[in-house]
Amino acid sequence: MDVLAVQDLSVSYREVRAVKDVSFDVRRGEVVALLGANGSGKSTLLRAVAGVLTPDRGRIRFAGADITGWAPHRVARHGLRLVPEGRGLLARMTVWENLLMGQYATAAGTRRDLDAALERFPVLGQRRAQIASTLSGGEQQMLAIARALVARPTLLMLDEPSLGLAPRLVRQIFAVVAELKREGVTIVLVEQNARQALAVADRAYILETGQVVLAGPAPELAAGEAVQRAYLGGGPVPG
Ligand SMILES: Nc1ncnc2c1ncn2[C@@H]1O[C@H](COP(=O)(O)OP(=O)(O)OP(=O)(O)O)[C@@H](O)[C@H]1O
Ligand SMILES: [Mg+2]
């Protein structure tokens, strides 16, 4: 069953159309990757789904409701969590306060979910009282994911979680995504690291200037020539 079904969605910034007639869906327990070059509309798409931007046209169905045009807090309360580009942490609050805010104004999530988040990310457990802005980039990303998880979202959307992180931390982020997938968490993953995203995803959509140009099972896309050339840096072998 579809958790999320986006149909013919178009989104603009004033006169600039950033997303054009995009349709995609996510089934329960899937990891779906959204890939594409800089400026292809990935973040715009996620923001529109989360209610941060209002689409010009199209429909968004999520967890049994038509959420098109809903305010972000209402979408969040319905079980959809976006970890935005840049993480969106409450910079002057502590790790623990950020986690508490993750449960603010939602019915979901208990004290046990807070403890579980600190166990999943031991580095956060050691830094409960530290101010979020003083965490390292990797720690901030862990906190942003943890803050989304404590509300037990039906769908977790991650916008470039590995952006700007050292290779070791990139691997750690992808390991977290793989672990969440094993636990059955439904995830939409936007990534520049196409190869690693396709390795963890079930299916993927490729965006180009605001439109879906290719979609399919992740292993097929990873093996496909078009994707290799365009996004994986694996051009034709010379000779
Ligand atoms: N606030 C904004 N105002 C005007 N145009 C915007 C705004 N945000 C994004 N755009 C434009 O919309 C298009 C899509 O941008 P978007 O941020 O969705 O791309 P993206 O795929 O997330 O790129 P990146 O990989 O760099 O994060 C781009 O042409 C961008 O310049
Ligand atoms: Mg983006």
Side-chain angles (χ1 to χ4, degrees):
M1 200 196 80
D2 280 346
V3 170
L4 177 70
V6 171
Q7 201 184 343
D8 297 327
L9 202 73
S10 294
V11 191
S12 302
Y13 299 99
R14 296 177 185 275
E15 62 282 354
V16 182
R17 182 153 279 190
V19 167
K20 300 167 199 136
D21 297 321
V22 165
S23 299
F24 77 102
D25 53 76
V26 181
R27 294 165 215 142
R28 195 167 296 283
E30 270 191 326
V31 174
V32 170
L34 299 179
L35 308 176
N38 291 123
S40 57
K42 306 178 299 293
S43 297
T44 303
L45 187 54
L46 293 195
R47 280 190 222 121
V49 170
V52 180
L53 297 171
T54 307
D56 306 330
R57 43 173 266 117
R59 304 231 65 83
I60 307 163
R61 291 195 59 81
F62 169 65
D66 185 336
I67 63 162
T68 318
W70 283 22
H73 67 270
R74 193 170 167 212
V75 177
R77 222 169 29 228
H78 198 60
L80 191 151
R81 281 296 161 115
L82 168 63
V83 178
E85 229 172 356
R87 290 144 199 162
L89 292 172
L90 300 157
R92 299 170 78 165
M93 291 192 181
T94 65
V95 166
W96 182 247
E97 286 164 345
N98 268 276
L99 289 179
L100 288 177
M101 290 304 284
Q103 291 184 337
Y104 179 73
T106 61
T110 62
R111 173 63 199 240
R112 188 171 308 167
D113 294 308
L114 296 171
D115 294 335
L118 296 182
E119 279 163 35
R120 184 190 299 279
F121 302 107
V123 66
L124 299 180
Q126 295 150 18
R127 292 165 186 276
R128 289 169 56 120
Q130 189 168 328
I131 299 294
S133 64
T134 66
L135 296 172
S136 72
E139 290 163 355
Q140 288 190 18
Q141 189 60 60
M142 306 289 174
L143 177 55
I145 296 172
R147 189 179 64 162
L149 287 174
V150 294
R152 289 192 163 266
T154 304
L155 176 64
L156 178 65
M157 301 198 301
L158 304 174
D159 194 351
E160 304 215 28
S162 74
L163 188 70
L165 301 183
R168 181 179 60 84
L169 290 164
V170 171
R171 280 196 297 278
Q172 212 173 322
I173 293 288
F174 277 100
V176 167
V177 173
E179 179 182 289
L180 292 172
K181 177 189 157 101
R182 281 194 297 277
E183 293 170 18
V185 180
T186 310
I187 297 173
V188 171
L189 176 64
V190 164
E191 262 298 333
Q192 289 282 333
N193 286 303
R195 200 180 292 280
Q196 288 173 83
L198 289 173
V200 72
D202 297 292
R203 291 186 302 118
Y205 294 81
I206 314 278
L207 291 175
E208 223 173 86
T209 55
Q211 291 182 295
V212 174
V213 292
L214 208 57
E220 265 175 41
L221 291 186
E225 238 178 74
V227 182
Q228 295 266 353
R229 256 201 323 277
Y231 302 106
L232 304 180
V237 181

